[in-house]
Amino acid sequence: MATEQECQDALARLAGRLGDGDASARSKSFDRTLTCTLRDLGVVYGGRLKDGQLIDIARTGSSDAQIRLTMSSDDLLALVDGELNMGSAWATGRVKVEAGVRDLLKLRTIF
């Protein structure tokens, strides 16, 4: 099980990678709230996906958001480090994604 600090660092790395990406490849006009619930730690992080960037990441007490991710802390680290494919993690139930169909399609262009 990863520590809470390791998860915070992983989310910061993800935000940095998204922010450094090619601006032309970003999905413009995409502004959604996002939460990531880490089942094994009992912790929820919230943030905002805005124009292809992940911003305002902080621990929160509620998982209410337009896009909700649920996974283990180890799976978060593996996803961010590129050791786990998001599609296969979702298909096998390791990562749960709750979002509208349009949001899911837009997420594919960001990640």
Side-chain angles (χ1 to χ4, degrees):
M1 177 173 20
T3 67
E4 198 171 328
Q5 185 60 52
E6 289 172 320
C7 292
Q8 289 174 0
D9 294 345
L11 290 169
R13 286 194 314 274
L14 177 61
R17 251 199 321 254
L18 290 174
D20 291 343
D22 180 8
S24 63
R26 292 185 187 153
S27 182
K28 298 296 180 190
S29 303
F30 188 60
D31 188 2
R32 298 287 187 267
T33 56
L34 176 132
T35 57
C36 179
T37 301
L38 302 172
R39 292 184 292 249
D40 53 341
L41 296 179
V43 173
V44 179
Y45 288 96
R48 185 167 211 83
L49 277 172
K50 183 168 175 60
D51 297 331
Q53 295 185 38
L54 181 58
I55 58 173
D56 301 331
I57 305 163
R59 188 171 172 178
T60 182
S62 171
S63 62
D64 290 339
Q66 293 162 311
I67 300 169
R68 294 174 303 282
L69 305 172
T70 304
M71 66 191 77
S72 73
S73 59
D74 288 336
D75 286 341
L76 172 64
L77 271 68
L79 283 169
V80 172
D81 292 339
E83 298 168 3
L84 180 62
N85 177 279
M86 181 62 152
S88 61
W90 171 78
T92 59
R94 290 175 69 176
V95 173
K96 182 178 177 183
V97 180
E98 296 176 76
V101 174
R102 288 185 183 180
D103 290 342
L104 290 172
L105 293 173
K106 289 224 183 206
L107 282 173
R108 288 178 11 154
T109 65
I110 295 172
F111 296 102

